[in-house]
Amino acid sequence: MADHAAGTSTVRSFPADFAWGTATASYQIEGAAAEGGRTPSIWDTFSHTPGKVHDGDTGDVADDHYHLFRDDVAIMRDLGLTTYRFSIAWPRITPQVTPDELGPVNPEGLAFYRALVDELVGAGITPAITLYHWDLPQALEDAGGWADRRTAERFGEYADVVAREFGEHVGTFITLNEPWCTAYLGYAAGVHAPGRTEPLAALRAVHHLNLAHGLAAQAIRAAAPSAQVGLTLNLAWVRPATDGEADVDAARRIDGLQNRVFLDPVLRGAYPADVQADTASVTDWSFVLDGDLAVTHQVPDVLGLNYYSPTVVRRWDGVSPRESADGHGDGAASPWVAADDVEFPLQPGPKTAMGWPIDATGMRELLLRLHREFPGLELMVTENGAAYDDVLDADGGVHDVERVDYLRDHLGAVLDAVEAGAPVRGYYLWSLLDNFEWSYGYSKRFGIVHVDYDTQVRTPKDSATWYADVVRTGQLPA
Ligand code: GCO
């Protein structure tokens, strides 16, 4: 920590081999939704459904990264990044996939990502590929989507195609991004694609996503033995509002639904018994077939943590207005399956433009928890960042002081964990560019580079300059 006692502030240093990147996702930045042989994903369908996305925004054009990727790689090179995490759109790779057949590989889809990988490697930036960042081919959803086991089976085959094509140049293949969002926001709360509100489908999706990770990990290790296998989870730092028994139990339940129902099958080879008991009113979990847990139990070479904001819970009395600081309470349904008596009390203190409380403590606590519970497991921060209502100033710049403060606090928390012994290997800032923020559309800006969506002009914000200095020096200014 900075030593202010002596009136001097000591600069803190990251490990010399610490990886410095930014993260994006295909549907959020690419555009070209109907180009290059791509077929619709569930997010094309969802965003084109009236009322689902802010202001009717869609990913049809987004940041037009499909056509501007060379310019974007040049920005990353100028920032001095050593790595870049992006996702591959499955509907570009096997656009004719059906529930029972992967279908032919689309050469135009491979060609786009090959050009992107070549551009990155040429700029000295190691690619990290996320295989699934939510843009499921619509044809699979038409047959049940992640609630249907066949989707996991096709995903393992898709992973094999990508690993064979890109394995020699890619450092890490991340199988899934945030299965919690896919399962619960997509199939229980209905605020993400495919927009379903079916608790049983959500829990089936939880399992089939864990199965998909296992199948993909096996495929990647067979096809690209030199690459690392990763998994990205948006784990929650869950605290009870009080130390009362009901609130502590509410925290246990949310920790189970958001954290342990993914960590345990993948890292321990078993589902948490308390979560299965908590959800017995919805399912007996008989969709977990013999042998499945041996498949889900594929420990990643590196576990990715996405962290943005803390989580506080308490037992809801069922009478007073239910508080939902997690931002999901205003929908018709809750993402929290079988936890209707839990609420998320609004928190005091500073918040980002998403309304998310700001507390970097959770970043440190989650990294230390993972290190404590899974010793030897390599860790990576695969997303961290903040949305603010950025504007282009009269001087042509974007002076995003709040985002710099957020990044400084959260990188400080990462360094606290590193100094305490947690094997954190790198940090991917979310995000390189302002982009399509799912149901918020383009109303929320997370980028360190401003995008004018009318002209597609990119303008690095002050946070980009600040981050480039941290990357260049490996030091965190006080
Ligand atoms: C997520 C997704 C990103 C989001 C970002 C801000 O973590 O939800 O990976 O696609 O855009 O996190 O919400």
Side-chain angles (χ1 to χ4, degrees):
M1 300 296 275
D3 171 12
H4 295 297
T8 59
S9 62
T10 52
V11 172
R12 304 174 68 192
S13 296
F14 283 85
D17 59 355
F18 197 77
W20 294 101
T22 55
T24 64
S26 43
Y27 191 75
Q28 294 181 272
I29 68 167
E30 285 181 2
E35 285 186 49
R38 181 182 182 279
T39 52
S41 75
I42 58 176
W43 268 97
D44 297 277
T45 305
F46 192 73
S47 65
H48 282 267
T49 304
K52 298 299 185 185
V53 176
H54 170 84
D55 213 14
D57 290 340
T58 74
D60 288 357
V61 177
D63 296 331
D64 198 22
H65 179 73
Y66 186 83
H67 299 109
L68 300 175
F69 72 91
R70 290 188 172 85
D71 299 344
D72 294 334
V73 172
I75 292 172
M76 288 186 253
R77 185 198 56 228
D78 294 347
L79 292 175
L81 301 187
T82 59
T83 183
Y84 170 54
R85 175 185 173 227
F86 65 96
S87 77
I88 285 186
W90 187 352
R92 292 195 188 279
I93 304 301
T94 60
Q96 308 308 326
V97 63
T98 69
D100 297 308
E101 295 286 338
L102 188 64
V105 174
N106 170 29
E108 288 185 274
L110 288 186
F112 165 63
Y113 293 110
R114 163 60 66 197
L116 173 57
V117 165
D118 290 349
E119 196 76 12
L120 288 163
V121 171
I125 299 170
T126 302
I129 289 180
T130 305
L131 290 170
Y132 186 70
H133 204 125
W134 307 354
D135 37 5
L136 183 72
Q138 182 60 45
L140 293 177
E141 179 55 37
D142 292 345
W146 285 107
D148 186 302
R149 183 186 184 84
R150 294 172 294 175
T151 299
E153 295 164 357
R154 299 297 75 74
F155 183 77
E157 297 163 359
Y158 154 66
D160 173 66
V161 169
V162 173
R164 287 179 189 283
E165 178 69 20
F166 300 108
E168 60 183 301
H169 289 303
V170 167
T172 306
F173 288 102
I174 295 167
T175 54
L176 302 172
N177 176 78
E178 300 196 357
W180 180 88
C181 291
T182 299
Y184 294 118
L185 298 185
Y187 290 85
V191 294
H192 274 199
R196 294 166 60 178
T197 54
E198 305 161 45
L200 173 56
L203 293 178
R204 289 176 63 87
V206 164
H207 176 56
H208 295 147
L209 284 156
N210 286 325
L211 196 59
H213 162 75
L215 291 167
Q218 292 173 327
I220 295 162
R221 285 175 169 146
S226 64
Q228 284 199 312
V229 172
L231 169 64
T232 281
L233 300 177
N234 56 312
L235 301 175
W237 180 49
V238 188
R239 289 171 295 157
T242 71
D243 58 7
E245 187 180 337
D247 292 351
V248 169
D249 187 61
R252 174 196 62 76
R253 289 162 61 193
I254 297 302
D255 179 67
L257 285 168
Q258 179 150 1
N259 299 333
R260 293 181 286 114
V261 80
F262 299 108
L263 288 170
D264 287 13
V266 170
L267 299 176
R268 304 183 199 279
Y271 277 104
D274 63 322
V275 174
Q276 294 188 306
D278 292 340
T279 56
S281 62
V282 176
T283 178
D284 60 3
W285 291 76
S286 54
F287 45 74
V288 181
L289 305 185
D290 290 347
D292 280 1
L293 285 166
V295 175
T296 65
H297 191 195
Q298 305 298 318
V299 178
D301 301 301
V302 58
L303 184 72
L305 168 66
N306 288 0
Y307 177 78
Y308 290 91
S309 185
T311 301
V312 175
V313 301
R314 70 178 174 221
R315 178 65 57 80
W316 178 46
D317 61 19
V319 176
S320 52
R322 189 175 184 198
E323 293 190 46
S324 60
D326 65 336
H328 301 307
D330 49 2
S334 167
W336 303 105
V337 172
D340 291 340
D341 58 347
V342 172
E343 67 176 348
F344 298 78
L346 302 175
Q347 296 302 301
K351 295 178 179 60
T352 68
M354 294 295 283
W356 297 347
I358 299 172
D359 185 345
T361 311
M363 172 76 88
R364 183 190 71 227
E365 290 306 306
L366 282 168
L367 290 169
L368 291 179
R369 170 181 173 182
L370 291 167
H371 180 44
R372 188 172 58 246
E373 293 184 8
F374 306 102
L377 177 66
E378 302 256 303
L379 306 173
M380 184 77 80
V381 176
T382 38
E383 280 180 35
N384 175 245
Y388 285 103
D389 297 327
D390 303 320
V391 291
L392 277 171
D393 209 343
D395 62 6
V398 179
H399 307 305
D400 53 336
V401 177
E402 291 174 302
R403 183 175 287 106
V404 171
D405 289 344
Y406 178 99
L407 295 174
R408 180 190 297 110
D409 289 350
H410 287 77
L411 278 169
V414 173
L415 198 45
D416 289 344
V418 170
E419 291 170 351
V424 187
R425 299 303 180 217
Y427 174 90
Y428 289 91
L429 195 159
W430 183 272
S431 182
L432 174 70
L433 304 170
D434 293 334
N435 60 58
F436 178 81
E437 179 51 32
W438 308 113
S439 59
Y440 292 92
Y442 298 102
S443 65
K444 303 298 180 186
R445 293 180 178 270
F446 274 90
I448 56 174
V449 176
H450 178 277
V451 175
D452 178 326
Y453 294 110
D454 296 327
T455 65
Q456 290 297 348
V457 168
R458 276 81 160 131
T459 306
K461 304 174 188 176
D462 288 357
S463 55
T465 305
W466 181 87
Y467 189 55
D469 285 345
V470 173
V471 170
R472 180 173 47 79
T473 62
Q475 295 181 335
L476 187 61

